[in-house]
Amino acid sequence: MQALSDSANPAAPVAPKPSWIDTIKVYLQPASLRMLALGFSAGLPLLLVLGTLSFRLREAGIDRSTIGYLSWVGLAYGFKWAWAPLVDRVPLPGLTRRLGRRRAWLLLSQIAVASGLVGLALVDPRAVLSPVKLGAADDAWFVVWLSPLVWCALAVAFASATQDIALDAYRIESAPTEEQPALAATYQTGYRLAMIWAGAGVLWLAARAQGGAAGYDNHAWQVAYLVMAGSMAIGVLTVLFSPEPMARPMPPARTAQEWVQSALVAPFADFFRRYKWQAALILALIAVYRISDVVMGIMANPFYVDMGYTKDEVAAVTKVYGVIMTLVGAFVGGSLSLRFGVMRILMLGAVLSALTNLLFAWLAGYGHSVPALIAVVSADNLASGIASAAFVGYLSSLTNISYSATQYALFSSLMLMLPKFVAGFSGDYVNAFGYAGFFTSTALLGLPVLVLVALAARARRVESKPETV
């Protein structure tokens, strides 16, 4: 791991590493605490249209192939770069004047997410998806994608992606570069807490609303999803009581061609101009870094259902042990990135993410065991927290603050496009090869990531060396 270095120009004086006390103090600054709450708002919708929704659908008797294909609603996150320039440049009538550019888009997107979650609460998946067996009829795709459930999920995904665009820009503009790993860590902590609330919390709520009844209870799921919609109030209140980052003046566009050039072309041209030949390597790394986790995650909840775990068991394990290990992972990932450099921790996160997928393969053969589930979920959340904190810090370091929303949207979109597309076939793969084979394959998907991290670290070291005459 010594080869993975983030050192600056060797000829320049080496700045002393911050003490552990100074490192911890960064997490207590107002900007970091705001990112904790806003990270919660950003993390809440994701599982509710992907992971938790897959648990609900599987319990309702929807087949795994359909669940896998429906995960493609998550591709909305992969194409957010397409409308990121609008979020970056277009003011919202009334809201922007009162709240500022970033907070206006944040508030609008949060309200849209809450509305979409209410829609998901009111739809019974058995009424709209159960009769459909993909491949059994020529119009199966047409029937599925006209489902109100799918359209509500798409609305939540698009609104959530828009929130991500505005929030990433808000975070990047709220603190200098050296503090970004800490903001990334608190953001990831809030994000992961929300995912636990949207995963374990929603299962716990549904189980309480269902009482002692067995099987699928749509009313219980309605109650749980309505509570999730209300939980978006945390983000709304944070936006209303937070300051707007200092606005960076942008030259006015006199013509439509100038607007297209400044809003659409310039952010991407700036990235390729700054990184030149490294741009392709960086984009390749971004495209595959989280592929093991994303592809595996789609089938995690159907796996729990098929292994006989109850909602209470899954909720208890992820709520207690998942919370603890996620917090530890995010803190460790952010702190280690500050002290030892992002590239080293990127490599560590990639290795751990692949290895924890193998633990799920082991669990598939081990059988129903709550202690075994605790061990596997704890390791998975620890690895994910470390990898996510380092990766967000890495992406933030690549952006030009003049185009923060658009460039970060490009990076985070690219991060999801390939994994989400591959994940759509996960149900078919499980049906053909079983869960153990599926989880092992997702671990192997992480091998190219290790090579790309090493190459990107080497390129960064070479780029930082002073030119010799």
Side-chain angles (χ1 to χ4, degrees), residues 37-361:
L38 292 174
F40 182 92
S41 178
L44 190 72
L46 183 64
L47 281 184
L48 296 175
V49 295
L50 295 173
T52 303
L53 184 60
S54 68
F55 191 109
R56 179 184 181 185
L57 295 177
R58 188 58 180 160
E59 191 178 60
I62 309 302
D63 64 282
R64 285 187 294 253
S65 292
T66 302
I67 293 172
Y69 291 128
L70 287 176
S71 72
W72 279 339
V73 300
L75 285 173
Y77 294 92
F79 287 96
K80 62 185 178 182
W81 56 268
W83 68 92
L86 301 179
V87 179
D88 224 358
R89 299 294 298 266
V90 175
L92 295 174
L95 284 177
T96 298
R97 182 173 58 83
R98 290 181 174 87
L99 299 176
R101 182 172 36 153
R102 303 307 184 198
R103 291 197 301 152
W105 278 100
L106 278 172
L107 183 63
L108 177 65
S109 60
Q110 289 167 348
I111 293 173
V113 167
S115 301
L117 291 177
V118 171
L120 282 175
L122 300 179
V123 176
D124 186 346
R126 296 171 301 180
V128 295
L129 293 180
S130 288
V132 177
K133 300 295 182 184
L134 293 183
D138 292 338
D139 62 348
W141 282 104
F142 181 75
V143 173
V144 169
W145 291 101
L146 281 183
S147 161
L149 182 143
V150 175
W151 284 103
C152 288
L154 281 171
V156 173
F158 275 104
S160 175
T162 302
Q163 180 185 209
D164 288 348
I165 296 168
L167 182 51
D168 289 330
Y170 184 93
R171 173 176 51 79
I172 293 169
E173 295 171 3
S174 295
T177 300
E178 60 271 16
E179 294 182 10
Q180 286 299 322
L183 263 63
T186 53
Y187 167 85
Q188 282 296 319
T189 299
Y191 196 97
R192 298 293 296 185
L193 285 172
M195 292 182 72
I196 290 165
W197 178 232
V202 76
L203 295 178
W204 183 84
L205 289 168
R208 300 286 77 72
Q210 188 170 347
Y216 180 79
D217 184 342
N218 193 61
H219 172 73
W221 283 102
Q222 286 181 338
V223 171
Y225 264 73
L226 288 174
V227 172
M228 293 299 114
S231 299
M232 287 298 296
I234 293 175
V236 170
L237 292 174
T238 302
V239 168
L240 292 176
F241 289 99
S242 295
E244 176 77 1
M246 183 177 296
R248 291 185 171 265
M250 295 185 177
R254 292 184 294 269
T255 66
Q257 182 179 356
E258 288 185 1
W259 190 93
V260 171
Q261 171 65 30
S262 62
L264 300 178
V265 177
F268 303 111
D270 169 79
F271 172 74
F272 286 100
R273 182 171 57 251
R274 284 188 294 121
Y275 291 100
K276 302 180 177 65
W277 66 270
Q278 290 187 42
L281 175 60
I282 291 171
L283 294 177
L285 173 58
I286 294 172
V288 301
Y289 185 75
R290 299 310 308 276
I291 192 167
S292 292
D293 282 349
V294 173
V295 175
M296 185 278 290
I298 297 301
M299 283 295 118
N301 278 315
F303 170 69
Y304 299 147
V305 174
D306 291 341
M307 291 290 290
Y309 292 105
T310 66
K311 288 192 285 288
D312 275 334
E313 287 175 338
V314 175
V317 170
T318 55
K319 182 179 180 181
V320 177
Y321 299 94
V323 166
I324 295 173
M325 300 312 292
T326 297
L327 293 175
V328 172
F331 176 79
V332 169
S335 299
L336 292 180
S337 295
L338 283 171
R339 289 184 61 82
F340 302 112
V342 169
M343 300 309 293
R344 287 191 176 98
I345 311 309
L346 274 182
M347 178 64 83
L348 176 63
V351 171
L352 294 178
S353 295
L355 290 178
T356 52
N357 282 18
L358 293 178
L359 293 179
F360 277 94

